[in-house]
Amino acid sequence: MSAPAAVPSRDNLVEIRDVSFKYGTRTILANLSATIARGKITAIMGGSGCGKTTLLNLIGGRIRPSQGQVIVDGINVPDLGKKDLFELRKRMALLFQTGALFTDLSVFENVAFPIREHTKLPEPLLRHVVLMKLNTVGLRGARDLMPSELSGGMARRVALARAIVMEPMMIMYDEPFTGLDPISKGVIAKQIRELNDALGITSIVVSHDVVETCLIADYAYLMGDGRIIGEGTPAEVQQSKSEYVRQFMDGLADGPVPYTYPARPYLDDLLGGGGP
Amino acid sequence: MKIFQTLGAIVVNGLERVGRAALFLYEVVSGSWVLLRRFYLVIQQVFAVGVLTLLIILVSGLFVGMVLGLQGYNTLVRFGAEDSLGLLVALSLVRELGPVVTALLFAGRAGSALTAEIGLMKATEQLAGMEMMAVNPVTRVIAPRFLAGVAAMPLLAAMFSAIGVMGGQVVGVGLLGVDSGAFWSQMQNGVDFHDDILNGVIKSVVFGIVVSWIAVFEGYDAVPTSEGVSRATNRTVVYSSLAVLGLDFIMTALMLGEV
C-alpha cells in the first residue's frame, strides 16, 4: 500500500516530496517539497493561481502528481486504489471555499450526512453528535434552516461542523476567509485555532489572506509560481528580506511576480494592426 | 485540409464521449446494488422524476386521445367503420404514441431537470465534497436518479395510454355518437396482450433507460459553469428526443418483423 521510501516521520503528518504537477503542457507545481507537522496549523499562502489549491487536491487524492510522493500518515496517496483512498479520506476533511453544502438538505442533515453514510449510529445518538458539532460552531439554533437561508459566513461554519463530525485527523481549509466580512473572518479564524487545539487536529490553511492566516498559523509556507518561495514561522516570514516574500506580504503591485500578463510590445500591438 | 481535421476531431470526440457514457452506465448499474438496503433514496427520486411529471403526462395524454378520437372518426366514418374507433385509438396509443410521446415529455420535464440538478451539484462542488467525504456520488446521487427514471417511465407511459383512451372515448362516444358497446368491445377483441401491450411496455422500458442514462450522464459530464450546465441540459433534451425517435423505428421494425 505505501511506497518503499515512505518512512513516516512521527512529527509530520503530511510529507510532500519532490512533487510536480502538469495540467496539459502547463506546469502548475515544480519539484515542490513541504512537510505538515502533526497537530499544528500550517499555512500555505500565495497569490491566486500559484498552485495552492492543486496542492490540497494532491493531498486529498483528487488528482495524481506527474512525479513525486505525497505521503499522508505514512501512506503514499497517489498509489492508493479507490477503496483505500476512500478509507484514508474518512480520516481527513477538506473545507471547500464555497462550503459545498448540499442544497437539498437542511443544516442538520448536512452535518449528519457523513455519519449516516459511514455509520449505523442510532438516531438519538446521531442527534446528540450533530447538535454538539453545531454548537461548537455556534449554529445549534440554525439546524432547521436550508443552506439557501444562510449567510456566507454561516454556510462556511456549517461546512466546518460537517467537516469535523467524523473527527478527522486532519482538516484542509481552502481559502476559508475569502468573501467574508471582518467579524466572520475573525470567527472562522478563532474556530480553526480552537478546533486544532481542542481536538488535536492537524490543520492546513490555504489562503491569500495574510493577516488572518498569520494570526493563527504555527508555520507558514509561501508559494509562488508552483514553488515554495519562503517558509518559517509567521513572524519569520513577515521579517523575510526575499523580494518575492516582500511583494506578497506587503501587497505590492509589481515585483518579481509581474503585474502584466505576457504580451507583445504595447506599441506594436496598438499600431501593428492584424487580428484581435 | 482543415475541414478534415475538424471533422476527424468531432468524430473522435464523439466516440470518446460515447465510450465514457458506456463506462459511466456500467459504474451506475454496478453501484446500484447498494441501494437495495437504502431503497428510500430511490423512492424519493421516483417522486421527483415520476410524480411531479404526472400532470403534464396526464394532460397531454388526454388531449392526444381526444385528437385521435376526432381524426380517427373523420377517417373511419368514410368507410362506415366508425365502430372501430376504440380499436384505433387504443392501438395507436399502446403501440406508439404512449411510449414515444411520454418519453419525449419525460425527457423535456424530468430529464432536463435531472441534468440541471446534477450539473449544478457539480458546479457548486457538492459532488467533489461528497467524494472528499469518502462517499461515492455515483452510488449516492446518480444511481437513485437513474433507477427512478427507469422505473417511472413505463408507469407514466401506461397512464398516458390509459387516459388517452378515456379522451378518445369522451370525443368518440360522448361527442360524435359512436356506440359505446362497439367502442369498447372492438378494443377488447383487437388489442393483443403480447403483440401490442407487451411490446409497448418494452419500448417504454427501453426509452426510460436511454433517457435517464443520457440525462444523468450529461449532468455528470457537464462543464461546471453556468454555460456548461445550460448546454448539458440542452443536449439532454436534443439527444434524448433523437434517440427515442430513432430507437422507436428500430424497435417497431423488429417487433413487426416486416423490414
Side-chain angles (χ1 to χ4, degrees):
Chain A
M1 210 157 71
S2 56
V7 186
S9 156
R10 231 170 246 288
D11 302 332
N12 293 330
L13 185 62
V14 181
E15 292 190 22
I16 296 157
R17 294 182 184 166
D18 205 23
V19 161
S20 296
F21 181 77
K22 289 193 178 71
Y23 190 79
T25 52
R26 236 180 87 214
T27 304
I28 312 282
L29 300 177
N31 302 93
L32 186 141
S33 295
T35 53
I36 310 291
R38 207 180 276 272
K40 296 277 198 289
I41 300 181
T42 305
I44 299 172
M45 295 187 282
S48 309
C50 72
K52 304 185 303 271
T53 304
T54 308
L55 200 58
L56 287 192
N57 286 334
L58 281 169
I59 298 172
R62 292 185 64 204
I63 49 178
R64 283 170 204 275
S66 332
Q67 66 162 67
Q69 292 180 314
V70 181
I71 295 155
V72 177
D73 203 25
I75 302 166
N76 188 23
V77 178
D79 288 347
L80 294 180
K82 195 162 190 171
K83 202 158 162 265
D84 293 326
L85 185 62
F86 271 25
E87 280 308 312
L88 180 65
R89 280 183 185 168
K90 285 182 192 171
R91 300 192 287 139
M92 55 163 96
L94 171 59
L95 192 72
F96 284 86
Q97 191 173 340
T98 50
L101 294 177
F102 303 127
T103 41
D104 56 337
L105 300 179
S106 67
V107 165
F108 183 94
E109 286 302 321
N110 258 289
V111 178
F113 182 85
I115 309 181
R116 288 199 198 282
E117 291 295 320
H118 294 308
T119 70
K120 291 195 173 77
L121 215 59
E123 200 60 30
L125 207 55
L126 180 138
R127 185 170 173 277
H128 275 212
V129 175
V130 171
L131 291 185
M132 276 162 62
K133 299 300 176 190
L134 277 173
N135 199 47
T136 313
V137 296
L139 291 175
R140 189 164 42 85
R143 74 189 91 159
D144 293 326
L145 298 181
M146 294 304 282
S148 56
E149 297 169 289
L150 302 175
S151 71
M154 282 162 81
R156 220 162 290 181
R157 278 151 68 195
V158 173
L160 188 54
R162 186 176 67 177
I164 57 172
V165 79
M166 293 296 284
E167 316 221 323
M169 60 177 180
M170 171 173 80
I171 305 184
M172 299 180 275
Y173 301 89
D174 189 5
E175 300 285 5
F177 307 115
T178 307
L180 295 185
D181 62 86
I183 300 175
S184 303
K185 270 189 196 180
V187 170
I188 291 277
K190 182 170 151 274
Q191 275 167 354
I192 293 176
R193 185 76 250 179
E194 281 176 2
L195 283 174
N196 190 83
D197 298 346
L199 302 176
I201 298 175
T202 305
S203 313
I204 306 177
V205 180
V206 156
S207 178
H208 50 238
D209 215 310
V210 178
V211 183
E212 302 293 340
T213 313
C214 282
L215 274 179
I216 56 166
D218 296 307
Y219 199 80
Y221 284 98
L222 223 67
M223 275 181 74
D225 223 6
R227 292 174 298 119
I228 300 286
I229 55 173
E231 61 178 290
T233 61
E236 284 167 7
V237 173
Q238 272 164 332
Q239 298 303 320
S240 169
K241 296 274 186 290
S242 154
E243 270 185 75
Y244 274 106
V245 179
R246 285 268 56 85
Q247 187 191 358
F248 185 75
M249 300 303 277
D250 301 338
L252 305 175
D254 221 344
V257 180
Y259 166 69
T260 44
Y261 196 81
R264 56 187 177 134
Y266 198 19
L267 207 61
D268 287 0
D269 223 1
L270 292 180
L271 301 177
Chain B
M1 202 63 206
K2 189 126 194 224
I3 298 173
F4 292 113
Q5 235 172 19
T6 323
L7 209 66
I10 291 174
V11 172
V12 169
N13 285 342
L15 281 177
E16 195 201 331
R17 253 185 130 235
V18 172
R20 250 184 303 145
L23 287 176
F24 181 71
L25 181 66
Y26 171 74
E27 204 183 338
V28 171
V29 173
S30 62
S32 296
W33 64 272
V34 183
L35 293 167
L36 285 177
R37 280 186 290 121
R38 305 176 68 189
F39 206 65
Y40 66 95
L41 288 174
V42 183
I43 302 291
Q44 281 172 356
Q45 294 305 321
V46 170
F47 179 80
V49 299
V51 178
L52 296 181
T53 314
L54 203 51
L55 186 65
I56 184 175
I57 295 289
L58 292 182
V59 173
S60 312
L62 187 68
F63 279 108
V64 167
M66 283 161 66
V67 170
L68 273 177
L70 275 178
Q71 294 279 16
Y73 180 83
N74 248 311
T75 311
L76 290 174
V77 80
R78 287 188 218 165
F79 310 104
E82 66 268 26
D83 283 352
S84 303
L85 183 65
L87 180 61
L88 179 132
V89 169
L91 284 184
S92 315
L93 282 166
V94 170
R95 280 185 177 179
E96 279 301 324
L97 293 173
V100 172
V101 177
T102 306
L104 294 177
L105 292 169
F106 184 74
R109 163 63 183 74
S112 59
L114 277 180
T115 306
E117 187 189 14
I118 296 169
L120 278 173
M121 286 182 88
K122 187 180 180 187
T124 53
E125 294 184 315
Q126 293 180 49
L127 297 183
M130 213 173 262
E131 269 189 13
M132 282 308 297
M133 282 183 259
V135 176
N136 188 350
V138 172
T139 321
R140 180 61 176 71
V141 175
I142 309 291
R145 285 166 171 76
F146 174 76
L147 291 182
V150 174
M153 213 353 254
L155 298 176
L156 291 171
M159 281 187 246
F160 184 98
S161 296
I163 200 148
V165 168
M166 311 261 190
Q169 195 253 358
V170 166
V171 170
V173 176
L175 289 178
L176 301 171
V178 174
D179 180 59
S180 174
F183 184 90
W184 292 111
S185 62
Q186 286 258 11
M187 195 188 303
Q188 200 178 3
N189 284 332
V191 178
D192 183 74
F193 177 73
H194 182 266
D195 284 346
D196 302 320
I197 295 187
L198 205 60
N199 281 346
V201 171
I202 292 173
K203 275 185 184 178
S204 60
V205 170
V206 172
F207 295 159
I209 294 173
V210 170
V211 174
S212 310
W213 176 23
I214 292 176
V216 293
F217 175 72
E218 287 293 349
Y220 197 74
D221 201 52
V223 180
T225 60
S226 327
E227 196 206 0
V229 174
S230 94
R231 273 169 186 254
T233 313
N234 204 334
R235 277 200 301 266
T236 292
V237 177
V238 174
Y239 291 168
S240 304
S241 307
L242 292 179
V244 164
L245 295 171
L247 279 173
D248 183 48
F249 174 73
I250 294 171
M251 281 194 289
T252 309
L254 287 174
M255 286 164 180
L256 295 177
E258 280 169 6
V259 178

